[in-house]
Amino acid sequence: MNTMCAAPARLLIVDDDLPTRMVLRRLMARQGYVVLEAGNGREALEQVRRSRPDLVLMDVMMPELDGYAACAQLRRDDGDDSLPIIMLTGADELESIERAFNAGATDFITKPINWALLSERVRYALRTGQLNRELRRSRMRELSVRRIAGLGDWEWSLADGVLSWSAEFESITGLPQQRVNGIEQLLTQVHPDDQRRLQTALQLASELGARLDLEFRLLHAEREHVLRLVGERGSQGAEAAVVFGVFQDVTQTRRAEAMVDFLALHDDVTGLGNRRLFLNQLAQLLGQGQSPPVLLVGAIDVSRFARYNDSLGRLAADKLLAAFGQRLSDFLHNLGGSLLARIDGDEFGVCFAIDQIDTAGQRFGQLLHCLQAPFRVEGQELFLSCSAGFSLFPAHGAEPEALLLKAQEAQRLARKQSRPFLGFEPDAEGTQRQLQEFELERDLYQALERGQFFLVYQPQMDFARNRITGAEALLRWRHPQRGVIPPIRFIGLLEETGLINEVGAWVLQQTCEQVAQWQRGGLEVRVGVNLSPRQFLQRDLCAQVQQALEAAAVDPNLIELEITESLAMQEVGHTIGLLQQLRALGLKIAIDDFGVGHSSLEYLLRFPIDVIKVDRAFVSHITSRVGDRAIVRSITVLAQSLGLSVIAEGVETQRQCDFLEALGVAQVQGYLIGKPMPAEQFEQLARSFKRGAAS
């Protein structure tokens, strides 16, 4: 075990300005780095060749050879992309940034230098460079091992037909070379199903000079080896009458692949096929012959199986599930040509042929009847109840996936109606969807009263302060049976039913109370609340907001109301007047999803707003699309000229974050900083947040 400490990293500082080099040298030396210096690009090239530094800090503007040219030359000379090069530039325009990256820079930082940020960038770049070097060495070792592991060479003299093998052949296959020193002798050792294929490939190689590359099974002493044979005919002189090649024993690889294929298509609890295998086999059945038989495709769901997991334990519950599958298998075995699979956690798929459509329900009922007898598991007798549904080929379609989905739709409808099973009806799918939407709407009316709504908060980071300074409050619904319902499923229903006004008032009230609680605890963060179109058009909106502020005793400056760009433009006169009233209460106003609506800059200048939120559509491709960068930069310049703050939404990568910071965006929001989270988790993040440590 190597107990020696790693040598300190060596940094090369390249800058023609001596005071800047001195400051950088002192800062980096205090952090334990060995510092090298160069006064221009040419000196830098020589230093890199001579000293092999671990990182280069390079100024852009230098005499003789500027930073761009020096960086590009380093990449050409060295050919090692793992050497980190951080460019120091006094220009923060997009063109300079792109030029630095095009020259081969790893990162950049603008002057005047943020020393804390530079230290973090250096530490990150060194770590990344080391990982890249280790990855390269690992790849080289892997290639070397692959070249030498289990390989041998062989030759075939076309003049006399003699086959020659290297010593590895006998150690791999157990066959002495003299047993396979000719094509005929080799073929006698090859699996009968592979002989013709190998003979044809050898003939093409000898007569036409075709490249040989195939696998075949070699049999010896009741053992089977899979060999890969690769070869090609020589091209010059005497070599033109010889086929040269290599061979490799791929037996274990093919066995492992077969096992992987099996596991990928089978369930490890019941040993049955899974959904993917079921659909593949069903497709084969449907494609057999000119007139395939009428097929019944069924979906059988074990009702409330989770209770057995809780009461019996996972192992016993798995045995119960396996016994259920075995009983189905025993019944279907007598039918011939049937299919059975575990297509989901406690759901099974079946398929079998029937004589005529009229008997489908009767035959399916007979199958389900066999499941009514008790199951014995670990000395206990257990009864399982099921809900089931079926579809028919060709009456209900000819696609495997569609037939199974229709069977599942029928099964879910049977469960809703407390029926043992149902056959699919052409309108069953639409009926089921309508039933679900009706039930969802019915439950929505009681959700607020029953305390099923809750709020989560997505953090916003301020670049200037390097901490969490704000959040967006987002509504969630925890349904007692369906779990957490996605907002896309119920926000529209809230609008359509008019419930959004009551729920929106609750959201505002809860947000004010939460912000006030944080404020009393010493945590001041600005929290945004989305206003829906219906809320925004309420006559008493201002009174409602004022009441929420006063009831919570919260600082109004910590509450931000967000309206969409499109909403603001619906009735411009009403919007301006209402926003002026809200700002008079001390609130902040934000325009959400900016850039994707249809606002006029003339009106935008008249809106009394504080924040512009750049839509995620421009952020997602900001690192690759020049147009998106230009739009974000334009929005930022416009906002700065108006004294407004800019928040970019949908930030998911560090590279997006770096670009946005370089473009002048003030704050960012997205999964890179944090996903929407409960209030307690948000508070912990806001108090302990360190840039670069967010998840």
Side-chain angles (χ1 to χ4, degrees), residues 624-643:
S624 58
R625 293 182 182 174
V626 176
D628 287 1
R629 291 197 289 270
I631 290 173
V632 173
R633 180 59 177 166
S634 299
I635 294 173
T636 303
V637 171
L638 173 65
Q640 290 173 345
S641 66
L642 297 176

PDB file of all heavy atoms in Angstrom, residues 624-643:
ATOM      1  N   SER A 624     -25.434  25.616 -26.617  1.00  0.00           N
ATOM      2  CA  SER A 624     -25.208  25.130 -27.974  1.00  0.00           C
ATOM      3  C   SER A 624     -25.817  26.018 -29.056  1.00  0.00           C
ATOM      4  O   SER A 624     -25.463  25.873 -30.221  1.00  0.00           O
ATOM      5  CB  SER A 624     -25.761  23.701 -28.115  1.00  0.00           C
ATOM      6  OG  SER A 624     -27.146  23.660 -27.808  1.00  0.00           O
ATOM      7  N   ARG A 625     -26.721  26.902 -28.675  1.00  0.00           N
ATOM      8  CA  ARG A 625     -27.387  27.726 -29.689  1.00  0.00           C
ATOM      9  C   ARG A 625     -27.030  29.195 -29.490  1.00  0.00           C
ATOM     10  O   ARG A 625     -27.322  29.775 -28.444  1.00  0.00           O
ATOM     11  CB  ARG A 625     -28.903  27.556 -29.616  1.00  0.00           C
ATOM     12  CG  ARG A 625     -29.381  26.163 -30.003  1.00  0.00           C
ATOM     13  CD  ARG A 625     -30.895  26.086 -29.945  1.00  0.00           C
ATOM     14  NE  ARG A 625     -31.388  24.752 -30.259  1.00  0.00           N
ATOM     15  CZ  ARG A 625     -32.654  24.387 -30.170  1.00  0.00           C
ATOM     16  NH1 ARG A 625     -33.563  25.272 -29.799  1.00  0.00           N
ATOM     17  NH2 ARG A 625     -33.015  23.150 -30.449  1.00  0.00           N
ATOM     18  N   VAL A 626     -26.406  29.761 -30.499  1.00  0.00           N
ATOM     19  CA  VAL A 626     -26.007  31.169 -30.429  1.00  0.00           C
ATOM     20  C   VAL A 626     -27.232  32.063 -30.308  1.00  0.00           C
ATOM     21  O   VAL A 626     -27.229  33.057 -29.575  1.00  0.00           O
ATOM     22  CB  VAL A 626     -25.174  31.541 -31.673  1.00  0.00           C
ATOM     23  CG1 VAL A 626     -24.847  33.029 -31.665  1.00  0.00           C
ATOM     24  CG2 VAL A 626     -23.902  30.714 -31.732  1.00  0.00           C
ATOM     25  N   GLY A 627     -28.314  31.704 -31.006  1.00  0.00           N
ATOM     26  CA  GLY A 627     -29.522  32.520 -30.964  1.00  0.00           C
ATOM     27  C   GLY A 627     -30.112  32.625 -29.576  1.00  0.00           C
ATOM     28  O   GLY A 627     -30.528  33.713 -29.144  1.00  0.00           O
ATOM     29  N   ASP A 628     -30.149  31.515 -28.850  1.00  0.00           N
ATOM     30  CA  ASP A 628     -30.684  31.530 -27.489  1.00  0.00           C
ATOM     31  C   ASP A 628     -29.826  32.393 -26.569  1.00  0.00           C
ATOM     32  O   ASP A 628     -30.332  33.108 -25.711  1.00  0.00           O
ATOM     33  CB  ASP A 628     -30.772  30.108 -26.937  1.00  0.00           C
ATOM     34  CG  ASP A 628     -31.905  29.320 -27.575  1.00  0.00           C
ATOM     35  OD1 ASP A 628     -32.594  29.883 -28.438  1.00  0.00           O
ATOM     36  OD2 ASP A 628     -32.099  28.161 -27.201  1.00  0.00           O
ATOM     37  N   ARG A 629     -28.498  32.306 -26.758  1.00  0.00           N
ATOM     38  CA  ARG A 629     -27.616  33.150 -25.941  1.00  0.00           C
ATOM     39  C   ARG A 629     -27.857  34.629 -26.234  1.00  0.00           C
ATOM     40  O   ARG A 629     -27.861  35.468 -25.323  1.00  0.00           O
ATOM     41  CB  ARG A 629     -26.154  32.783 -26.206  1.00  0.00           C
ATOM     42  CG  ARG A 629     -25.762  31.413 -25.671  1.00  0.00           C
ATOM     43  CD  ARG A 629     -24.259  31.260 -25.578  1.00  0.00           C
ATOM     44  NE  ARG A 629     -23.612  31.147 -26.869  1.00  0.00           N
ATOM     45  CZ  ARG A 629     -23.383  30.001 -27.502  1.00  0.00           C
ATOM     46  NH1 ARG A 629     -23.766  28.862 -26.948  1.00  0.00           N
ATOM     47  NH2 ARG A 629     -22.771  29.976 -28.662  1.00  0.00           N
ATOM     48  N   ALA A 630     -28.049  34.934 -27.509  1.00  0.00           N
ATOM     49  CA  ALA A 630     -28.286  36.327 -27.881  1.00  0.00           C
ATOM     50  C   ALA A 630     -29.589  36.846 -27.271  1.00  0.00           C
ATOM     51  O   ALA A 630     -29.657  37.986 -26.798  1.00  0.00           O
ATOM     52  CB  ALA A 630     -28.321  36.456 -29.400  1.00  0.00           C
ATOM     53  N   ILE A 631     -30.626  36.000 -27.264  1.00  0.00           N
ATOM     54  CA  ILE A 631     -31.912  36.409 -26.693  1.00  0.00           C
ATOM     55  C   ILE A 631     -31.777  36.661 -25.199  1.00  0.00           C
ATOM     56  O   ILE A 631     -32.246  37.675 -24.663  1.00  0.00           O
ATOM     57  CB  ILE A 631     -32.987  35.338 -26.972  1.00  0.00           C
ATOM     58  CG1 ILE A 631     -33.328  35.318 -28.468  1.00  0.00           C
ATOM     59  CG2 ILE A 631     -34.245  35.596 -26.147  1.00  0.00           C
ATOM     60  CD1 ILE A 631     -34.249  34.189 -28.869  1.00  0.00           C
ATOM     61  N   VAL A 632     -31.123  35.733 -24.497  1.00  0.00           N
ATOM     62  CA  VAL A 632     -30.954  35.896 -23.049  1.00  0.00           C
ATOM     63  C   VAL A 632     -30.137  37.138 -22.745  1.00  0.00           C
ATOM     64  O   VAL A 632     -30.440  37.896 -21.814  1.00  0.00           O
ATOM     65  CB  VAL A 632     -30.296  34.643 -22.443  1.00  0.00           C
ATOM     66  CG1 VAL A 632     -29.963  34.865 -20.971  1.00  0.00           C
ATOM     67  CG2 VAL A 632     -31.213  33.432 -22.593  1.00  0.00           C
ATOM     68  N   ARG A 633     -29.084  37.366 -23.533  1.00  0.00           N
ATOM     69  CA  ARG A 633     -28.254  38.558 -23.317  1.00  0.00           C
ATOM     70  C   ARG A 633     -29.071  39.828 -23.550  1.00  0.00           C
ATOM     71  O   ARG A 633     -28.973  40.788 -22.784  1.00  0.00           O
ATOM     72  CB  ARG A 633     -27.054  38.508 -24.263  1.00  0.00           C
ATOM     73  CG  ARG A 633     -26.102  39.698 -24.129  1.00  0.00           C
ATOM     74  CD  ARG A 633     -25.538  39.815 -22.736  1.00  0.00           C
ATOM     75  NE  ARG A 633     -24.573  40.898 -22.622  1.00  0.00           N
ATOM     76  CZ  ARG A 633     -24.134  41.391 -21.477  1.00  0.00           C
ATOM     77  NH1 ARG A 633     -24.574  40.877 -20.330  1.00  0.00           N
ATOM     78  NH2 ARG A 633     -23.266  42.363 -21.453  1.00  0.00           N
ATOM     79  N   SER A 634     -29.893  39.813 -24.588  1.00  0.00           N
ATOM     80  CA  SER A 634     -30.723  40.990 -24.885  1.00  0.00           C
ATOM     81  C   SER A 634     -31.717  41.258 -23.759  1.00  0.00           C
ATOM     82  O   SER A 634     -31.906  42.404 -23.343  1.00  0.00           O
ATOM     83  CB  SER A 634     -31.469  40.779 -26.205  1.00  0.00           C
ATOM     84  OG  SER A 634     -30.582  40.600 -27.275  1.00  0.00           O
ATOM     85  N   ILE A 635     -32.355  40.193 -23.262  1.00  0.00           N
ATOM     86  CA  ILE A 635     -33.303  40.354 -22.152  1.00  0.00           C
ATOM     87  C   ILE A 635     -32.589  40.909 -20.925  1.00  0.00           C
ATOM     88  O   ILE A 635     -33.094  41.793 -20.224  1.00  0.00           O
ATOM     89  CB  ILE A 635     -33.980  39.009 -21.821  1.00  0.00           C
ATOM     90  CG1 ILE A 635     -34.863  38.554 -22.989  1.00  0.00           C
ATOM     91  CG2 ILE A 635     -34.807  39.109 -20.551  1.00  0.00           C
ATOM     92  CD1 ILE A 635     -35.436  37.158 -22.818  1.00  0.00           C
ATOM     93  N   THR A 636     -31.374  40.401 -20.659  1.00  0.00           N
ATOM     94  CA  THR A 636     -30.610  40.838 -19.489  1.00  0.00           C
ATOM     95  C   THR A 636     -30.242  42.311 -19.599  1.00  0.00           C
ATOM     96  O   THR A 636     -30.387  43.076 -18.637  1.00  0.00           O
ATOM     97  CB  THR A 636     -29.339  39.983 -19.355  1.00  0.00           C
ATOM     98  OG1 THR A 636     -29.699  38.607 -19.279  1.00  0.00           O
ATOM     99  CG2 THR A 636     -28.568  40.376 -18.113  1.00  0.00           C
ATOM    100  N   VAL A 637     -29.757  42.729 -20.781  1.00  0.00           N
ATOM    101  CA  VAL A 637     -29.385  44.137 -20.980  1.00  0.00           C
ATOM    102  C   VAL A 637     -30.609  45.030 -20.829  1.00  0.00           C
ATOM    103  O   VAL A 637     -30.559  46.094 -20.191  1.00  0.00           O
ATOM    104  CB  VAL A 637     -28.737  44.322 -22.370  1.00  0.00           C
ATOM    105  CG1 VAL A 637     -28.554  45.803 -22.676  1.00  0.00           C
ATOM    106  CG2 VAL A 637     -27.403  43.594 -22.426  1.00  0.00           C
ATOM    107  N   LEU A 638     -31.740  44.608 -21.416  1.00  0.00           N
ATOM    108  CA  LEU A 638     -32.981  45.374 -21.293  1.00  0.00           C
ATOM    109  C   LEU A 638     -33.390  45.519 -19.833  1.00  0.00           C
ATOM    110  O   LEU A 638     -33.726  46.612 -19.372  1.00  0.00           O
ATOM    111  CB  LEU A 638     -34.086  44.680 -22.084  1.00  0.00           C
ATOM    112  CG  LEU A 638     -35.505  45.249 -21.926  1.00  0.00           C
ATOM    113  CD1 LEU A 638     -35.572  46.656 -22.487  1.00  0.00           C
ATOM    114  CD2 LEU A 638     -36.521  44.342 -22.623  1.00  0.00           C
ATOM    115  N   ALA A 639     -33.340  44.393 -19.104  1.00  0.00           N
ATOM    116  CA  ALA A 639     -33.740  44.429 -17.700  1.00  0.00           C
ATOM    117  C   ALA A 639     -32.821  45.322 -16.881  1.00  0.00           C
ATOM    118  O   ALA A 639     -33.276  46.106 -16.040  1.00  0.00           O
ATOM    119  CB  ALA A 639     -33.745  43.003 -17.142  1.00  0.00           C
ATOM    120  N   GLN A 640     -31.520  45.216 -17.112  1.00  0.00           N
ATOM    121  CA  GLN A 640     -30.565  46.030 -16.359  1.00  0.00           C
ATOM    122  C   GLN A 640     -30.786  47.517 -16.620  1.00  0.00           C
ATOM    123  O   GLN A 640     -30.688  48.335 -15.706  1.00  0.00           O
ATOM    124  CB  GLN A 640     -29.139  45.622 -16.725  1.00  0.00           C
ATOM    125  CG  GLN A 640     -28.748  44.244 -16.191  1.00  0.00           C
ATOM    126  CD  GLN A 640     -27.399  43.771 -16.700  1.00  0.00           C
ATOM    127  OE1 GLN A 640     -26.853  44.334 -17.662  1.00  0.00           O
ATOM    128  NE2 GLN A 640     -26.849  42.744 -16.070  1.00  0.00           N
ATOM    129  N   SER A 641     -31.087  47.846 -17.874  1.00  0.00           N
ATOM    130  CA  SER A 641     -31.325  49.255 -18.204  1.00  0.00           C
ATOM    131  C   SER A 641     -32.588  49.781 -17.535  1.00  0.00           C
ATOM    132  O   SER A 641     -32.717  50.982 -17.298  1.00  0.00           O
ATOM    133  CB  SER A 641     -31.415  49.433 -19.715  1.00  0.00           C
ATOM    134  OG  SER A 641     -32.571  48.775 -20.229  1.00  0.00           O
ATOM    135  N   LEU A 642     -33.536  48.881 -17.230  1.00  0.00           N
ATOM    136  CA  LEU A 642     -34.784  49.273 -16.571  1.00  0.00           C
ATOM    137  C   LEU A 642     -34.722  49.102 -15.061  1.00  0.00           C
ATOM    138  O   LEU A 642     -35.712  49.345 -14.371  1.00  0.00           O
ATOM    139  CB  LEU A 642     -35.949  48.443 -17.135  1.00  0.00           C
ATOM    140  CG  LEU A 642     -36.271  48.610 -18.616  1.00  0.00           C
ATOM    141  CD1 LEU A 642     -37.375  47.639 -19.037  1.00  0.00           C
ATOM    142  CD2 LEU A 642     -36.686  50.048 -18.912  1.00  0.00           C
ATOM    143  N   GLY A 643     -33.570  48.643 -14.564  1.00  0.00           N
ATOM    144  CA  GLY A 643     -33.435  48.436 -13.132  1.00  0.00           C
ATOM    145  C   GLY A 643     -34.150  47.204 -12.626  1.00  0.00           C
ATOM    146  O   GLY A 643     -34.538  47.134 -11.456  1.00  0.00           O
TER     147      GLY A 643
END
